[in-house]
């Protein structure tokens, strides 16, 4: 069946696909399948996986709590400086994670902008599990905002206007009309945020360090295992690849159900 595309387009398209697929195939060929489960269930691997799941779940919840209002403001509000605000909100998408980690360190570290105030309260954020959550939220929050803002703009405001015309208060409109209408986008944003948090490395190691059971998430464990046990590093990498594939499937399924 003809698609109307020039045939030459298939060549760079195939090369692009190879750039993505071949490294994954190479990774799969290096897995020691006979020892796979023992490699991914060592004490350090299980501790890193459990920590990653816990912190990613908490950071995803924070992304929902903070990202939904941010997306609503960007999609529905109109004021001077809105474009600049959107650029700042989306900055972590293009910012090198290690730069984000340094920024967080100079914000919440002992000598940071808020560090001394936090320390007076008897709290220490940097190099703690809380630091992992903050770093993951920093890099994952834009995914929630982008996904939900796009859904809000696609849905439009006509149903909200009708509800407001009928006398519904703004909070009621948000709760009974807006949020149910954009629920697929919210779910997709939450899944993407969780996946981004689960794979976070640069900001975490810079801001939180690598303490087993405290801040050493699965990406950090893979990085350390690469030097001491390459087979374990490959096996754990494959685990993250499988998680990424599942996330893509969930997001596509959520998007399809919304159409």
């Amino acid at each position: 069946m003809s698609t109307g595309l020039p045939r030459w387009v298939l060549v760079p398209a195939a090369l692009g696909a190879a750039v993505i697929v071949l490294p994954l195939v190479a990774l799969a060929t290096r897995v020691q399948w006979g020892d796979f489960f023992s490699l991914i269930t060592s004490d350090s691997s299980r501790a890193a996986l459990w920590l990653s799941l816990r912190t990613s779940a908490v950071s995803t919840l924070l992304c929902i709590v903070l990202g939904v209002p941010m997306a609503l403001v960007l999609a529905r509000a109109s004021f001077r400086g809105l474009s600049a605000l959107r650029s700042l909100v989306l900055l972590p998408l293009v910012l090198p994670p290690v730069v984000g980690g340094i920024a967080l360190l100079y914000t919440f570290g002992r000598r940071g902008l808020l560090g001394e105030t936090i320390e007076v309260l008897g709290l220490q954020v940097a190099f703690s599990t809380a630091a992992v959550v903050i770093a993951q939220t920093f890099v994952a929050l834009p995914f929630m905002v982008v996904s939900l803002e796009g859904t809000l703009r696609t849905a439009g405001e006509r149903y909200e206007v009708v509800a407001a015309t009928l006398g519904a208060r703004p909070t009621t409109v948000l709760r009974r009309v807006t949020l149910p209408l954009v629920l697929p986008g919210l779910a997709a944003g939450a899944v993407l945020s969780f996946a981004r948090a689960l794979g976070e490395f640069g900001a975490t190691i810079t801001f939180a360090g690598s303490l087993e059971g405290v801040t050493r998430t699965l990406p950090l464990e893979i990085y350390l295992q690469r030097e001491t046990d390459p087979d374990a590093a490959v096996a754990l990498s494959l685990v993250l690849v499988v998680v990424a594939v599942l996330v893509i499937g969930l997001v596509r399924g959520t998007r399809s159900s919304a159409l």
Side-chain angles (χ1 to χ4, degrees):
M1 180 179 179
S2 176
T3 61
L5 289 175
R7 291 188 177 183
W8 62 263
V9 173
L10 299 177
V11 176
L15 290 175
V19 169
I20 297 174
V21 174
L22 284 180
L24 300 179
V25 172
L27 180 67
T29 60
R30 295 298 299 270
V31 175
Q32 301 295 324
W33 293 105
D35 301 323
F36 180 77
F37 287 103
S38 62
L39 291 171
I40 65 173
T41 56
S42 64
D43 291 340
S44 60
S45 297
R46 284 189 287 107
L49 178 59
W50 175 234
L51 178 66
S52 291
L53 292 175
R54 286 190 292 120
T55 55
S56 297
V58 175
S59 65
T60 301
L61 181 60
L62 288 175
C63 287
I64 294 173
V65 172
L66 302 175
V68 171
M70 291 169 65
L72 287 167
V73 170
L74 294 178
R76 295 290 189 258
S78 177
F79 55 86
R80 182 177 298 178
L82 182 62
S83 297
L85 176 61
R86 179 179 290 105
S87 299
L88 290 174
V89 169
L90 303 183
L91 188 59
L93 287 175
V94 297
L95 196 67
V98 66
V99 176
I102 292 175
L104 292 173
L105 189 61
Y106 280 110
T107 302
F108 298 101
R110 297 184 64 180
R111 298 180 180 273
L113 184 65
L114 303 177
E116 293 184 2
T117 302
I118 294 174
E119 197 167 294
V120 168
L121 299 175
L123 302 174
Q124 182 177 348
V125 176
F127 306 105
S128 67
T129 304
V132 176
V133 174
I134 293 173
Q136 291 175 339
T137 304
F138 179 81
V139 300
L141 185 58
F143 287 85
M144 170 60 72
V145 176
V146 168
S147 179
L148 190 56
E149 183 190 1
T151 304
L152 284 165
R153 292 187 180 279
T154 301
E157 301 181 55
R158 56 188 182 278
Y159 297 113
E160 297 164 340
V161 171
V162 171
T165 302
L166 294 175
R169 295 179 178 274
T171 301
T172 303
V173 174
L174 175 64
R175 180 171 56 88
R176 300 292 297 273
V177 179
T178 306
L179 291 182
L181 193 63
V182 300
L183 192 58
L186 176 59
V191 173
L192 288 173
S193 297
F194 179 82
R196 180 63 186 90
L198 191 64
E200 163 51 30
F201 174 81
T204 302
I205 197 170
T206 306
F207 178 45
S210 180
L211 303 173
E212 185 174 345
V214 180
T215 64
R216 187 179 299 170
T217 57
L218 194 56
L220 272 65
E221 177 69 14
I222 292 172
Y223 180 77
L224 294 175
Q225 292 283 13
R226 184 178 61 91
E227 299 293 336
T228 59
D229 191 351
D231 291 339
V234 171
L236 292 172
S237 297
L238 186 63
V239 171
L240 283 184
V241 170
V242 171
V243 171
V245 171
L246 292 176
V247 165
I248 293 172
L250 285 173
V251 172
R252 287 179 60 85
T254 302
R255 295 295 191 188
S256 298
S257 64
L259 298 178

